[in-house]
Amino acid sequence: VGFMMVGGEESFGLGGYYKTPIEELLPVVMDVQGEKEMPSLGLVLVIDRSGSMMGSKMLLAKEAAARSIDLLRDDDTLGVIAFDDRPWPVIETAVLKDKEQAKEDVLSIPAGGGTEIYASLKMAYTSLKELTLQRKHIILLTDGYGASSPSYKDLVEGGFDTGITLSTVAIGADSDRKFLENLSEMGQGRFYDVVDESTIPAILSR
């Protein structure tokens, strides 16, 4: 029996199969190599921890965030914000000094409460705005709805003017796909529509 793997632009890219059985099969490693060639990065994860995320969604979201932290270099900048009906800073946006502690902090996030996206997204943009980095990116992960408001457009497009890009991940059939897709388009990032919750870790790694 043999194993062959091929891919293209629509397959999981750099890091997408990090710490998976596929990485063990292949004669390559899936984490980020060539540190001298990598731009300085500031990443803020904005994670829905509302009651509707309770169970497997929350577990997989936290695993995904932990895997993303593993892919960062020690001099990268990281922030993590969990939200229900208000933002909860889990890791203040700063240079990553202790990966293991950061992962522990993320894995301890509980689920419960309502869903209010805007305030958390605004906090993420504010935390990155003044930083001098070559790449500044926010990933918003939610299974909920965002109230339609021109404030989102001002926030996201204003952030792009300062070099901040935004990707969004819609989890489950009840998520507001159109709203999240629009946000990612305005933020010059990517939109992921997650039907199978088990793909969340690979998507965030990508």
Side-chain angles (χ1 to χ4, degrees), residues 46-168:
V46 182
I47 303 171
D48 189 343
R49 52 144 278 172
S50 62
S52 60
M53 288 286 289
M54 195 170 292
S56 63
K57 288 181 183 178
M58 193 73 240
L59 289 172
L60 288 163
K62 292 191 290 186
E63 180 190 336
R67 192 181 294 183
S68 298
I69 292 169
D70 259 336
L71 289 167
L72 296 176
R73 298 164 302 168
D74 292 338
D75 56 350
D76 283 334
T77 295
L78 172 71
V80 179
I81 300 168
F83 68 91
D84 44 35
D85 51 9
R86 54 160 286 187
W88 298 89
V90 177
I91 299 173
E92 297 288 347
T93 304
V95 174
L96 180 61
K97 294 182 179 179
D98 189 337
K99 278 189 181 184
E100 294 307 313
Q101 184 59 55
K103 290 189 289 185
E104 284 184 24
D105 292 342
V106 164
L107 293 172
S108 68
I109 299 172
T115 305
E116 206 294 303
I117 297 172
Y118 180 81
S120 304
L121 205 54
K122 184 177 181 180
M123 180 181 288
Y125 273 96
T126 301
S127 71
L128 284 172
K129 185 177 180 181
E130 301 300 326
L131 299 182
T132 304
L133 297 163
Q134 291 170 287
R135 297 287 184 273
K136 295 185 277 188
H137 194 61
I138 297 170
I139 301 175
L140 169 65
L141 188 150
T142 180
D143 71 342
Y145 279 75
S148 178
S149 167
S151 299
Y152 280 105
K153 187 175 188 294
D154 295 340
L155 176 66
V156 176
E157 292 185 350
F160 187 64
D161 290 340
T162 60
I164 304 172
T165 53
L166 170 69
S167 290
T168 59

